[in-house]
Amino acid sequence: MTVSPSVDLDYETLLSSVTLSADWDILTYLDESDLNRTNQYYELSGDRRFKERWKADIDLKYYDDTTLNTYLQETGRVIERVQRNFLEAGGDVDYDLTTVSGLSVGYRYQDASYDDDDFSDYYNHRGNLYYVHRLKTEVDRISIGPSYYYRKNDFNEVDSYSMDIGWHRDWSTVSYSFASIGARYAEVTDEDGSDDDSWGARARIDLSFDGETSTTLFRYFHDLRTTSQGDDINVDNFYFSYRQLLTERFRAGINARLVFSYKLLDRQSDVNDSRYYWLEPNLTYDVMRNLRVSLSYRYQNNVESGDDGERDITRERNVFWLQFSYSWTTLF
């Protein structure tokens, strides 16, 4: 049995906004009671404009769950079920140089720890500086600039440098797109002082449409992610979500994710190439204003390719669930 309470708080003025969300998944098993636990997810974000030219935004995330949840979606790797604590904090400061150009400075910090000494805790820092220019079309903005990434654990550390160029377009008041690509150089230094390097790329695509009867969201990124064994890997991560209102009370939707992960360095003999995906169609019916019933199905599939001619390992999972949701809104 799963009970998932959540709280969402929003505050907005003409110059600032703050959003706080807290979600819990309380899992109870009839037979395997040693697997009982409560997964926790907290997110805080906010932004504020200072005077005419300055704007800042921050965000904070904290997850306390198992490696079968957020870790699996980040890396596409299936590992032993273990508790994982993940913290992410970051922000950006934007300054308008002119009416059509500006600078953006960003910083992000991540920290992950596992409730088992067999896995490798780590932390990383990322900083970036971008020049942003609005084109004559008034709906297009381009950005260019460098970024620096540093990650460290007990076994090695990674320094990565990239130069990225991006394009943002507001197609309408309800749709936008963003795409960026950049060249990346990464250097891995082991605890004994030996090092190795690799050239690669960074990429990101965001597409969003929010209409009267349907919503569509597509996201993709190619970048580095850190495994529980302490190695950085290349990850291609795709996500797609679609919702369609069929009648006033009845809607259908589908969610999907596809993750490819593979070695950053050839000498990482203990890191296998992996492919993971899940597909989740769902139907929802509003019984009344505050009561909703949903029927969902999720299929998950993971394939790991072994080294030295070893056979592939395939894992599958099928999940069906019926969900009753009751919500209420309180005004302060």
Side-chain angles (χ1 to χ4, degrees):
M1 181 177 67
T2 303
V3 180
S4 303
S6 63
V7 176
D8 295 285
L9 300 175
D10 297 288
Y11 174 78
E12 186 173 357
T13 69
L14 293 176
L15 298 178
S16 62
S17 65
V18 178
T19 299
L20 171 66
S21 65
D23 299 90
W24 301 268
D25 289 334
I26 305 172
L27 311 177
T28 303
Y29 293 83
L30 298 179
D31 297 323
E32 306 293 340
S33 59
D34 58 318
L35 297 178
N36 293 352
R37 65 165 286 109
T38 299
N39 293 329
Q40 306 174 58
Y41 307 93
Y42 306 98
E43 297 188 13
L44 172 68
S45 62
D47 62 76
R48 181 173 178 80
R49 177 167 291 278
F50 301 90
K51 299 183 180 180
E52 293 186 1
R53 298 194 175 190
W54 292 91
K55 181 183 178 182
D57 62 80
I58 62 170
D59 62 88
L60 177 67
K61 300 177 183 178
Y62 174 74
Y63 303 146
D64 178 1
D65 62 0
T66 72
T67 50
L68 295 183
N69 287 24
T70 51
Y71 174 84
L72 178 59
Q73 295 192 28
E74 292 169 10
T75 65
R77 303 295 177 97
V78 177
I79 63 172
E80 177 185 344
R81 182 198 300 260
V82 62
Q83 181 178 335
R84 174 176 179 255
N85 293 278
F86 179 80
L87 171 68
E88 179 177 334
D92 297 275
V93 176
D94 301 329
Y95 177 72
D96 295 332
L97 296 172
T98 68
T99 56
V100 296
S101 64
L103 293 176
S104 177
V105 180
Y107 168 76
R108 190 160 301 277
Y109 170 79
Q110 293 182 340
D111 186 293
S113 60
Y114 300 87
D115 193 24
D116 193 318
D117 293 338
D118 292 335
F119 299 95
S120 175
D121 302 343
Y122 72 88
Y123 66 87
N124 66 48
H125 304 269
R126 181 182 293 279
N128 57 261
L129 172 64
Y130 294 126
Y131 171 76
V132 183
H133 187 81
R134 183 181 295 274
L135 302 182
K136 293 182 179 180
T137 59
E138 296 294 331
V139 296
D140 297 289
R141 299 191 303 273
I142 59 171
S143 60
I144 185 170
S147 69
Y148 170 68
Y149 165 87
Y150 173 79
R151 194 270 301 154
K152 182 175 176 57
N153 57 25
D154 293 335
F155 306 104
N156 55 43
E157 59 185 43
V158 176
D159 293 277
S160 176
Y161 311 85
S162 68
M163 177 63 71
D164 307 307
I165 183 170
W167 169 47
H168 184 285
R169 181 178 178 86
D170 296 316
W171 295 93
S172 68
T173 57
V174 297
S175 63
Y176 77 90
S177 65
F178 176 78
S180 68
I181 190 170
R184 185 194 68 206
Y185 171 77
E187 183 176 22
V188 181
T189 304
D190 293 329
E191 189 179 19
D192 59 8
S194 61
D195 56 46
D196 202 349
D197 58 9
S198 171
W199 283 92
R202 294 182 66 212
R204 173 185 161 192
I205 298 175
D206 290 340
L207 300 173
S208 176
F209 172 78
D210 190 2
E212 294 184 1
T213 61
S214 66
T215 60
T216 304
L217 176 64
F218 173 77
R219 290 175 177 168
Y220 162 77
F221 71 82
H222 172 85
D223 208 345
L224 299 178
R225 289 295 182 267
T226 305
T227 69
S228 60
Q229 288 75 35
D231 289 304
D232 271 28
I233 56 175
N234 284 297
V235 171
D236 287 300
N237 198 313
F238 302 82
Y239 175 76
F240 175 76
S241 175
Y242 178 75
R243 297 284 185 277
Q244 177 65 53
L245 184 65
L246 302 178
T247 67
E248 185 178 353
R249 295 191 176 190
F250 190 58
R251 63 176 59 85
I254 185 170
N255 301 321
R257 185 181 295 275
L258 172 63
V259 185
F260 295 102
S261 60
Y262 39 95
K263 303 175 185 178
L264 176 65
L265 304 173
D266 291 336
R267 63 180 175 84
Q268 294 175 331
S269 58
D270 60 335
V271 179
N272 299 327
D273 295 343
S274 175
R275 183 213 65 203
Y276 164 74
Y277 71 88
W278 58 260
L279 187 65
E280 179 188 308
N282 56 77
L283 298 172
T284 302
Y285 180 74
D286 294 332
V287 180
M288 57 182 65
R289 181 178 179 182
N290 295 331
L291 179 62
R292 176 175 297 174
V293 179
S294 302
L295 177 63
S296 303
Y297 163 70
R298 175 180 288 187
Y299 173 74
Q300 295 172 277
N301 182 288
N302 170 256
V303 177
E304 287 189 355
S305 301
D307 290 322
D308 302 325
E310 297 179 3
R311 67 180 181 86
D312 294 346
I313 300 175
T314 302
R315 305 175 179 90
E316 292 181 302
R317 186 187 190 197
N318 294 274
V319 183
F320 296 86
W321 71 94
L322 182 65
Q323 177 173 298
F324 297 89
S325 303
Y326 183 81
S327 62
W328 65 90
T329 301
T330 301
L331 299 179
F332 295 95

